[in-house]
Amino acid sequence: MRRLLAILLPGLLLLTACSGSPAEPEPTSQSAGETAKFDSLKLTDNGDKKAPGVEFDKPLEVAEPTVKVVSEGSGEAVKANQIANISILALNAADGSTLEDTFPNDPEPLELDEELKTGSPVIYNAFVGAKVGSSLALAVPGQAATAGAEAQPTQLLVIKVLSTTDVTPALEKPEGETVTPPAGLPTVKENNGVPEISVEGVEAPSELVSQDLIKGNGATVKETDTLTVNYVGVNLVGGTKFDSSFDRGEPASFALNQVIKGWTQGLTGKAVGSRVLLVIPKDLAYGEAGQGEAKGDLVFVVDILGAK
C-alpha cells in the first residue's frame, strides 16, 4: 500500500487540491465523483487474508477520482485522526487484471490526519465515517501518453477497512524510570532540558552500544515505525556537536528503517518515552568518509517521543 499510495496519491492530490477547501466530514462516509460507474461492481468475500472476487463492466473509465463504500461493514465508524488499517486490491480497470494485492500481507496503515484532509479530501472524507469491515472502491483516472511515458488506464482499487488504531500524541519530553548506565560510556547531563554529552576518556566502541538513560513505558518501537524524536549527536573523537533537534527548536520525524544502521538497530525494541544513549561504530554510521561534520564513531542521545 505504501508503494501504491506513493504512485497514486500524487495524482489524486493534483486533481483534488484544486477543488477548494475540503468540506467538513459528515458522520458517514462521503462518496465522490462518478459513482454510477460502480453500479456494475460486485464483490465476493473469499475469507481472511484473501482478496475479494471482483466483477464489473469493462472497461471502467472515470474522468475524476471516484470513491464509494460498496460493501458496508458492521464495526465502529472510523474517526478523524485515527489510523485505518487496510488491505487493498489494485486492478487495471480496462481489463480487470491485478496490479497489486496486499490482502495476504499485514494491514497497511492510512493515517486520517490534517495532511490527508487538506491534500486529498476525496480520500479523507470517504474513510472518515466508514464502518470497520467496509469495502471502498476507488477509481483513479487514467493518464494520456506523454513523451517518454505510455498511456495509463484507469485503475480500480478495492480497499477493505480491517480495523482502526487511535493515534497517541507525541510526548513533550521523555517519561519513565531513570537508569544508571555502566562505567566507561559517554556521560550525559541535562541543561534546561537539553542533554549535553561528554566523551572524555571514552574508548572507541567495538560494537553498537544502546543504553537506556530513561526507560520509557510506552509502546515498543518497531523497525518499520516512523518516530518522533529529539536528539543530540557528537563525534566520539573530540566531542564536537554536529547535529541537534533541540537547537532547531522542534522534534524530528523519520522512518526508522531509512536512517543509519546504528539508529535502526539501536532504537528498535526500545519503548516510547525512553532517552537512549547510542555509541555507534563508524561502520554503522557514515563509514570512513563521514557525512559533513559527522565523522568516525558517533554518539547520540535520543529522546523517543512517539512512534507510529
Side-chain angles (χ1 to χ4, degrees):
M1 178 62 186
R2 291 187 182 93
R3 188 173 72 82
L4 284 170
L5 284 176
I7 295 170
L8 297 175
L9 280 183
L12 289 172
L13 297 181
L14 289 173
L15 288 163
T16 60
C18 298
S19 62
S21 299
E24 287 299 316
E26 299 293 336
T28 56
S29 169
Q30 293 184 23
S31 301
E34 305 167 68
T35 56
K37 297 289 184 71
F38 293 148
D39 287 351
S40 67
L41 183 63
K42 297 180 181 179
L43 305 182
T44 303
D45 188 355
N46 289 324
D48 293 342
K49 294 285 187 178
K50 293 182 180 179
V54 182
E55 297 179 15
F56 60 95
D57 291 341
K58 305 173 188 65
L60 187 156
E61 296 179 354
V62 294
E64 60 181 327
T66 299
V67 65
K68 179 182 179 180
V69 171
V70 293
S71 175
E72 187 172 45
S74 58
E76 294 290 329
V78 178
K79 298 179 178 63
N81 296 313
Q82 285 188 318
I83 293 173
N85 301 304
I86 60 180
S87 289
I88 185 167
L89 175 67
L91 303 174
N92 181 324
D95 59 17
S97 58
T98 299
L99 301 175
E100 188 156 350
D101 177 8
T102 74
F103 275 80
N105 307 326
D106 290 337
E108 294 284 355
L110 178 64
E111 188 167 353
L112 302 167
D113 56 10
E114 285 296 319
E115 181 179 358
L116 183 64
K117 179 180 178 181
T118 301
S120 189
V122 166
I123 302 297
Y124 177 90
N125 288 335
F127 277 91
V128 173
K131 294 181 179 180
V132 171
S134 295
S135 292
L136 293 82
L138 167 64
V140 182
Q143 301 293 322
T146 59
E150 296 181 357
Q152 297 296 322
T154 295
Q155 295 188 27
L156 173 63
L157 281 67
V158 177
I159 307 166
K160 186 166 185 178
V161 182
L162 301 173
S163 64
T164 58
T165 305
D166 291 329
V167 177
T168 302
L171 302 172
E172 294 186 1
K173 60 181 181 179
E175 297 178 359
E177 179 183 354
T178 300
V179 178
T180 301
L185 297 179
T187 57
V188 179
K189 64 178 182 179
E190 193 171 291
N191 184 3
N192 293 324
V194 179
E196 296 180 345
I197 304 169
S198 172
V199 297
E200 184 176 357
V202 178
E203 297 181 357
S206 58
E207 59 185 11
L208 174 68
V209 175
S210 178
Q211 172 64 47
D212 285 325
L213 301 178
I214 297 174
K215 187 175 179 59
N217 51 22
T220 300
V221 171
K222 302 186 293 295
E223 183 177 333
T224 54
D225 282 344
T226 295
L227 300 187
T228 299
V229 302
N230 266 325
Y231 67 92
V232 178
V234 304
N235 295 314
L236 181 61
V237 176
T240 303
K241 180 173 66 175
F242 58 82
D243 196 7
S244 171
S245 66
F246 290 95
D247 291 349
R248 293 191 292 274
E250 62 180 4
S253 293
F254 57 86
L256 187 55
N257 58 8
Q258 295 179 6
V259 290
I260 59 174
K261 292 180 180 179
W263 275 57
T264 305
Q265 296 176 16
L267 298 181
T268 298
K270 296 297 184 181
V272 173
S274 297
R275 170 170 286 177
V276 183
L277 172 67
L278 298 174
V279 185
I280 304 177
K282 59 188 175 185
D283 62 319
L284 296 179
Y286 299 109
E288 290 286 350
Q291 180 170 295
E293 296 181 351
K295 300 182 184 300
D297 303 322
L298 306 179
V299 181
F300 290 91
V301 170
V302 184
D303 293 346
I304 306 175
L305 305 178
K308 61 184 181 183

